[in-house]
Amino acid sequence: MIPELERIFGPDGQLAQALPNFRARPQQIELARAIAEAIADNSQLLAEAGTGTGKTFAYLVPALLSGGKVIIATGTKTLQDQLFDRDLPRVRDALKLPVESALLKGRSNYVCHYHLARTRSEGRFTARDHIMHVQRVAAFAERSVTGDRADCETVPESSPVWPLVTSTRDNCLGSECGHYKECFVLKARKEALLADVVVVNHHLLFADIALKDDGLGELLPACNTVIIDEAHRAPDVATVFFGESTSMLQLTELARDAELEQRRKAADAKALLDAAQSVGMAARAVRLGFDAGAGKLLRSDALARREFLDALDRLIEETSTLADEIEAQRDRSEELPALHKRATAAADRLSAWRDDSRGDLIRWADVTTSGWQLHATPLSVAEIFRKETESSARSWVFTSATLSVAGDFSLFARQLGLEAARSQSWASPFDYASAGRIYVPRNLPPPNSPQHTSAVIDEALELVTLSGGRAFLLFTSLRALRQCAEALPRLLRERDLDFPVLTQNEAPKGELLRRFRTLGNAVLIGSQSFWEGVDVAGDALSLVVIDKLPFAPPDDPVLAARMKHLEEAGGSPFMDWQVPQAAISLKQGAGRLIRSETDRGVLAICDDRLVTKGYGKTLRSSLPPMPFTREREDVAAFFGSQRAWQASQ
């Protein structure tokens, strides 16, 4: 396979001949060669590829040439669709390979015939829009080949009808369902079994590894290669799926479904109705056991609240009673056995959260203004994941633009138990020295000061004036984001600056990005969801402002437990964990700025610690190699030179 790579990626190779504007880079060929070697050797590879390297084609070519079964996992469903619909077909056609591919998502992404029919017959909705959405889903299900809700463009993704016309692992009837033969989920999984390349997302992959679903249960054993793209997200996703959680929403939905089934199939079973209603009330009462505010608490702190403990004990008792009442009626409908399983599992999880003292799990509560979740999170997922990667002779490739800290992969490798993996970095081909500047303003208040956000807003105002808008303002907290969103439009009006201001959550993320690109001089205010996975190439984005170094919040109970464990083992929690994590997050945020060879811009980081603290050197080494300045005059000169250059073109 390897000798073919030069011919495929070369100036006159198959990709260049088949794809307009394709130009291979030395880094791309080297990356493809390393991936091909890992596939051939059934080994593990951590491949960090800078922006512009062309990593998607670099892993697709050796994957398609390998001749084995390949699973490719992307970070999001959006990237999953893009890979399957655009990139994979282009490479396959360019190589003229008879490769069969399949797209596989979690079951909640497919319309369920059973739940659709049930929802239509019960008439749960009274709002006209919701009734219309159900009708549109029904029409879509009749004409669709895949049943993938992403293709149903006439029903908003946020519509409340979707949970009622799709299935979950808990409420799927399996082979007992009357629609089993026409099931969209079953059809997708059959196609995946027959395909050479299967495109999934991280959530589905880790759900299956953790035995939480059966979507890939038959695929993984037959797979020769697993490629995990955007792999920097993998440790967090694995942590979610290798743990357990129970929420108020799960319990109230269980109660609702049990009550509906009682009225539908066991109307004379009043004890079942009473038990279902009691669970719903008990689930809501748990929220009252906390203060009015929201927050995260370790289990020990939560159980110290008498009101919460009493409410939790009552919920456990009521859920167990519901399980018993469903068991007594289980032969009266096709849904009651599944409901019994859900109720029993919920009672067991709640009891374990209250009483289990396993040292390898962090048990904590996440309380919002309207609900709660009780989590059992692994202290580390490394051993669990190591068993999966070493259980069979297959290759594992992890690729992202941000896997290392100054070339050191140890944090990522330690998180997933990949210490034996080969690791290598391929730098971005972009000319960063000419492309931009890194600017750290002088004389800002300390980042923990109440005055810091106001000072950042004032600095951002000066910078967007110089850049002509065209800016992302990225904040590490929602409070700071809201403060900026409230103040900046007024400050711009006072200067007669007509830069449209877009704010996270005022519209779906995709719509905000579309507006930002179209407007050409907008300012977008965002937080965590805009730090990564956002690609705005061209003149629409020329300034990225980051308010603080992205250290994890100190009140995170999972982080606190991991720091304590690391300290007890003789490590340095701050330098061994928090600084590397912040460096990777900072690199992700900085990566929004330069997305193509012709992009130009300024990265402003409004945090003196990048310069004044000893660990600042580690953080700076993870940033793009752009000239560094602390003078706003240099920023003004840079933007002035860019305008002059553009005018001369």
Side-chain angles (χ1 to χ4, degrees), residues 526-562:
S527 65
Q528 187 62 43
S529 65
F530 284 89
W531 279 67
E532 58 179 285
V534 173
D535 192 349
V536 180
D539 293 338
L541 178 61
S542 295
L543 171 67
V544 171
V545 179
I546 293 175
D547 74 326
K548 293 181 184 180
L549 298 178
F551 287 106
D555 60 346
D556 184 335
V558 177
L559 175 65
R562 286 176 172 165

Side-chain angles (χ1 to χ4, degrees), residues 157-305:
E157 186 178 349
S158 59
S159 173
V161 310
W162 283 119
L164 297 178
V165 297
T166 56
S167 70
T168 66
R169 183 172 182 264
D170 287 335
N171 64 25
C172 175
L173 301 181
S175 58
E176 301 300 317
C177 179
H179 301 271
Y180 185 71
K181 291 183 179 180
E182 57 184 339
C183 175
F184 288 125
V185 174
L186 186 64
K187 180 179 179 181
R189 292 178 176 174
K190 286 180 177 178
E191 290 179 353
L193 283 172
L194 298 173
D196 304 296
V197 179
V198 183
V199 181
V200 301
N201 59 51
H202 291 182
H203 289 76
L204 181 57
L205 177 68
F206 284 105
D208 273 78
I209 292 174
L211 302 179
K212 297 292 178 64
D213 208 334
D214 54 355
L216 298 180
E218 296 173 272
L219 286 177
L220 279 171
C223 172
N224 303 99
T225 299
V226 178
I227 298 173
I228 300 181
D229 200 353
E230 298 297 309
H232 63 277
R233 300 181 178 186
D236 288 339
V237 178
T239 296
V240 170
F241 284 99
F242 293 161
E244 287 185 345
S245 66
T246 306
S247 68
M248 188 178 89
L249 179 61
Q250 287 176 324
L251 271 297
T252 54
E253 285 185 345
L254 169 66
R256 179 202 65 196
D257 291 347
E259 183 175 346
L260 286 171
E261 200 61 14
Q262 184 270 343
R263 297 183 187 281
R264 194 169 71 98
K265 293 290 187 176
D268 58 333
K270 186 176 183 304
L272 174 55
L273 175 63
D274 292 342
Q277 293 175 338
S278 294
V279 167
M281 290 186 290
R284 295 179 182 90
V286 169
R287 177 62 187 87
L288 300 177
F290 294 102
D291 294 336
K296 298 177 181 179
L297 297 166
L298 283 171
R299 178 181 62 175
S300 57
D301 295 328
L303 294 180
R305 299 168 181 258

Side-chain angles (χ1 to χ4, degrees), residues 293-315:
K296 298 177 181 179
L297 297 166
L298 283 171
R299 178 181 62 175
S300 57
D301 295 328
L303 294 180
R305 299 168 181 258
R306 188 75 240 178
E307 296 85 353
F308 166 74
L309 181 58
D310 290 345
L312 178 61
D313 285 341
R314 180 190 163 204
L315 178 59

Side-chain angles (χ1 to χ4, degrees), residues 113-124:
H113 293 94
Y114 172 80
H115 287 287
L116 172 60
R118 182 181 176 186
T119 299
R120 295 182 75 187
S121 66
E122 291 174 350
R124 297 189 187 186

